Amino acid sequence: MTERAKTTKEVTRDYFDSLMLEMRLIDSEVPDTGTELYGKKFQTPIMTAALSHLGTFHPDMPNGMVQYAESARISGAVHWIGMGSDEEFEAVTATGAQTIRIIKPYADEEKIYRMIHCAERCGALAVGMDIDHMFDLKGNPDVCRDEKMSVKSLGDLRKYVESTELPFIIKGVLSVRDAVKCMEIGAGGIVVSNHGGRLNGTLPPLCVLSEIVKAVGGQFPVFVDCGICSGMDAYKALALGASAVSVGGHLIPYLKKGGGEAAAVRIREMTEELKGAMAYTGVRNMHEFDPSVLRRIG
């Protein structure tokens, strides 16, 4: 009997679990998980992820997107939001959560600019685009929630970057090649992501993260998502050079059980897990992570 090939999600999980930490306790101190991003200070580098349509996918959470934003505000974290209406975005930012809006690569160019301007008007922390939704899995322009997408060139992305004073983040980068292109057009950051394993056979984000961080040389923040569900997972991404990490699907059961407050408790728990790993490896603050502490086993 032929063994079933692992999905990208499974490979991503295996990669996380294959990375183990040395202990470096001598001269260690109580760590500080405080993080600064785009001129704002946060209590943790563990952010929410750019989820969308929680009320649609989870009918028992009709106010899910607002509760999700509340979890970030309560826990002192950066909040991200994906596809949704301007009215929903306004409700999310009204919570006071410092929010980054990720826009799909719509075929409707006017809609893209309208959503960028809405983000500006609502005081978003940053705005950006989800480039890994340009194609469907057959290589054609994607259709998402009955909305047509289109393939965006580097020139198109440059126009979006230049259209706003907000940092413009490119989400869905999984190669040094694309990271360098983002740097060339003045992007305000990137998200290293395989979109939750949307295309089987793509790399785990952590596999290419350190190469990307080295290639961009600190020109902008490098974020990571996909599969992060503990403070230890966050530690491994940060040790490999991530500026901060996003957690999405892992928080949904907490949101369903106890709303934004329960999800905020989980973010704080993950931050405490991260702090513990930092203490045991001699990392005093967000500037002192060292990739040499990691050893890949197996």
Side-chain angles (χ1 to χ4, degrees), residues 151-178:
V151 180
K152 305 301 183 185
S153 68
L154 190 65
D156 293 328
L157 295 174
R158 186 191 299 274
K159 289 177 183 178
Y160 306 145
V161 169
E162 294 175 348
S163 74
T164 179
E165 294 297 317
L166 292 174
F168 194 92
I169 299 166
I170 310 296
K171 181 177 180 292
V173 174
L174 201 62
S175 65
V176 168
R177 171 188 178 275
D178 280 0

Side-chain angles (χ1 to χ4, degrees), residues 110-241:
E110 289 186 6
K111 180 171 185 172
I112 292 171
Y113 288 108
R114 186 170 67 247
M115 295 178 83
I116 291 172
H117 297 326
C118 175
E120 294 171 331
R121 186 174 69 252
C122 292
L125 183 65
V127 69
M129 180 165 284
D130 192 357
I131 63 171
D132 50 16
H133 254 291
M134 293 194 296
F135 296 102
D136 64 18
L137 296 182
K138 297 180 180 179
N140 300 310
D142 201 8
V143 177
C144 185
R145 306 289 300 174
D146 297 324
E147 296 257 24
K148 293 181 179 179
M149 307 295 145
S150 65
V151 180
K152 305 301 183 185
S153 68
L154 190 65
D156 293 328
L157 295 174
R158 186 191 299 274
K159 289 177 183 178
Y160 306 145
V161 169
E162 294 175 348
S163 74
T164 179
E165 294 297 317
L166 292 174
F168 194 92
I169 299 166
I170 310 296
K171 181 177 180 292
V173 174
L174 201 62
S175 65
V176 168
R177 171 188 178 275
D178 280 0
V180 170
K181 285 180 179 289
C182 292
M183 184 171 59
E184 290 172 353
I185 62 171
I190 59 173
V191 182
V192 180
S193 172
N194 61 20
H195 205 96
R198 187 167 189 248
L199 177 66
N200 267 336
T202 51
L203 289 170
L206 265 60
C207 183
V208 72
L209 174 59
S210 60
E211 296 175 38
I212 287 174
V213 170
K214 182 179 179 180
V216 302
Q219 293 298 305
F220 48 50
V222 176
F223 308 115
V224 176
D225 70 5
C226 300
I228 294 171
C229 57
S230 70
M232 182 61 79
D233 288 347
Y235 179 99
K236 293 171 183 178
L238 293 164
L240 290 170

Side-chain angles (χ1 to χ4, degrees), residues 1-292:
M1 184 175 178
T2 304
E3 185 177 352
R4 178 184 66 84
K6 289 186 176 182
T7 66
T8 295
K9 280 188 176 181
E10 291 169 330
V11 173
T12 297
R13 181 70 260 160
D14 287 348
Y15 197 89
F16 270 111
D17 293 341
S18 73
L19 296 172
M20 310 297 283
L21 279 58
E22 294 181 356
M23 290 200 304
R24 299 178 178 179
L25 289 163
I26 296 175
D27 291 330
S28 190
E29 299 177 6
V30 174
D32 178 8
T33 61
T35 303
E36 185 169 337
L37 181 63
Y38 301 128
K40 302 285 186 179
K41 293 183 178 180
F42 301 92
Q43 296 176 27
T44 177
I46 299 174
M47 313 177 291
T48 61
L51 299 184
S52 308
H53 306 298
L54 287 178
T56 301
F57 296 134
H58 304 276
D60 54 340
M61 296 171 57
N63 201 31
M65 295 305 296
V66 170
Q67 291 177 331
Y68 189 42
E70 287 281 7
S71 73
R73 181 188 62 79
I74 294 168
S75 59
V78 176
H79 181 56
W80 295 63
I81 185 172
M83 190 178 189
S85 68
D86 286 348
E87 291 75 18
E88 180 180 73
F89 186 73
E90 291 167 358
V92 161
T93 54
T95 66
Q98 292 290 325
T99 303
I100 296 174
R101 186 180 204 180
I102 296 298
I103 300 168
K104 288 283 185 282
Y106 296 107
D108 184 347
E109 288 285 312
E110 289 186 6
K111 180 171 185 172
I112 292 171
Y113 288 108
R114 186 170 67 247
M115 295 178 83
I116 291 172
H117 297 326
C118 175
E120 294 171 331
R121 186 174 69 252
C122 292
L125 183 65
V127 69
M129 180 165 284
D130 192 357
I131 63 171
D132 50 16
H133 254 291
M134 293 194 296
F135 296 102
D136 64 18
L137 296 182
K138 297 180 180 179
N140 300 310
D142 201 8
V143 177
C144 185
R145 306 289 300 174
D146 297 324
E147 296 257 24
K148 293 181 179 179
M149 307 295 145
S150 65
V151 180
K152 305 301 183 185
S153 68
L154 190 65
D156 293 328
L157 295 174
R158 186 191 299 274
K159 289 177 183 178
Y160 306 145
V161 169
E162 294 175 348
S163 74
T164 179
E165 294 297 317
L166 292 174
F168 194 92
I169 299 166
I170 310 296
K171 181 177 180 292
V173 174
L174 201 62
S175 65
V176 168
R177 171 188 178 275
D178 280 0
V180 170
K181 285 180 179 289
C182 292
M183 184 171 59
E184 290 172 353
I185 62 171
I190 59 173
V191 182
V192 180
S193 172
N194 61 20
H195 205 96
R198 187 167 189 248
L199 177 66
N200 267 336
T202 51
L203 289 170
L206 265 60
C207 183
V208 72
L209 174 59
S210 60
E211 296 175 38
I212 287 174
V213 170
K214 182 179 179 180
V216 302
Q219 293 298 305
F220 48 50
V222 176
F223 308 115
V224 176
D225 70 5
C226 300
I228 294 171
C229 57
S230 70
M232 182 61 79
D233 288 347
Y235 179 99
K236 293 171 183 178
L238 293 164
L240 290 170
S243 304
V245 304
S246 287
V247 181
H250 176 73
L251 295 177
I252 290 176
Y254 298 90
L255 287 167
K256 295 179 79 168
K257 185 176 181 179
E261 290 188 3
V265 168
R266 180 56 189 147
I267 294 171
R268 286 174 174 160
E269 288 174 348
M270 293 175 68
T271 302
E272 290 172 350
E273 295 164 4
L274 167 64
K275 185 177 177 181
M278 291 169 67
Y280 270 80
T281 54
V283 179
R284 295 177 297 181
N285 55 57
M286 299 307 300
H287 304 290
E288 293 191 356
F289 283 93
D290 181 351
S292 71

